[in-house]
Amino acid sequence: MTWDRVDWDARELRIKRSKTGADQIVPIDDTLAKIMQLWRGRDAYKIRRDLIVPTDAVSLANPGRTFARLCTAARIEPYGKPLHTLRKSCISDWARRHPPHVVQVWAGHRSLQTTLNYYTRISPADMDAGKGPAPHRRAQSSPKKTPKPLRLSS
């Protein structure tokens, strides 16, 4: 992907969809914008300066293999389908914060049902959020003394 696919003013990334050839527009949040701006400012480009991720940084032929090498270097167990899992996690995060029809467009799905059926899951945190705050236990206090009734003198 090349830097000309980034619309900094609109904070959008335009991805050419392989199935239809149409553009898929994905928002760029604050965190991603900062990372991309730092990366763009680096002098890490040996082959092509127009690429967002230089070809010498990630194997475009097999990004899964690159991911597995990164996992090995980090001493963590690689898992299957890393890019799909990252996509699924991203769409699930979006689904927690944005309306479903918006997430559908960002994910590039033709059908809202695809987004809901395959890319959103209820997490234990979602279940806990529906329960509301945990009831607080009251500290037991010593029994209060009953005040003596007032006597009126006549």
Side-chain angles (χ1 to χ4, degrees):
M1 177 168 304
T2 55
W3 286 109
D4 63 338
R5 306 297 292 168
V6 178
D7 184 338
W8 291 107
D9 294 329
R11 304 268 307 253
E12 296 174 342
L13 184 60
R14 296 179 179 277
I15 300 170
K16 192 68 89 176
R17 293 181 62 186
S18 59
K19 290 181 185 176
T20 65
D23 279 352
Q24 177 181 342
I25 299 171
V26 178
I28 300 173
D29 69 4
D30 291 339
T31 303
L32 180 57
K34 288 176 187 173
I35 292 168
M36 289 175 73
Q37 287 167 350
L38 285 171
W39 186 253
R40 189 171 191 194
R42 288 184 51 188
D43 193 22
Y45 299 91
K46 295 178 184 173
I47 299 172
R48 290 181 54 189
R49 295 190 64 81
D50 62 329
L51 295 176
I52 293 174
V53 179
T55 55
D56 56 326
V58 174
S59 168
L60 299 179
N62 193 341
R65 183 179 301 144
T66 301
F67 182 79
R69 287 181 185 151
L70 291 171
C71 288
T72 301
R75 295 183 181 162
I76 59 174
E77 184 71 28
Y79 51 92
K81 299 183 180 181
L83 298 179
H84 182 75
T85 302
L86 290 171
R87 172 181 164 80
K88 200 169 192 175
S89 295
C90 178
I91 294 170
S92 294
D93 288 346
W94 284 342
R96 285 185 181 86
R97 295 182 286 159
H98 304 285
H101 64 285
V102 173
V103 175
Q104 172 198 352
V105 171
W106 291 345
H109 296 148
R110 289 186 189 154
S111 163
L112 180 59
Q113 281 310 119
T114 300
T115 306
L116 297 176
N117 289 347
Y118 300 105
Y119 290 90
T120 58
R121 296 287 182 261
I122 296 175
S123 70
D126 295 331
M127 292 300 291
D128 290 343
K131 297 174 188 174
H136 298 288
R137 293 185 179 172
R138 293 185 181 180
Q140 291 190 350
S141 59
S142 57
K144 294 182 179 178
K145 295 182 180 179
T146 307
K148 294 182 181 179
L150 292 174
R151 292 193 180 181
L152 297 173
S153 56
S154 38

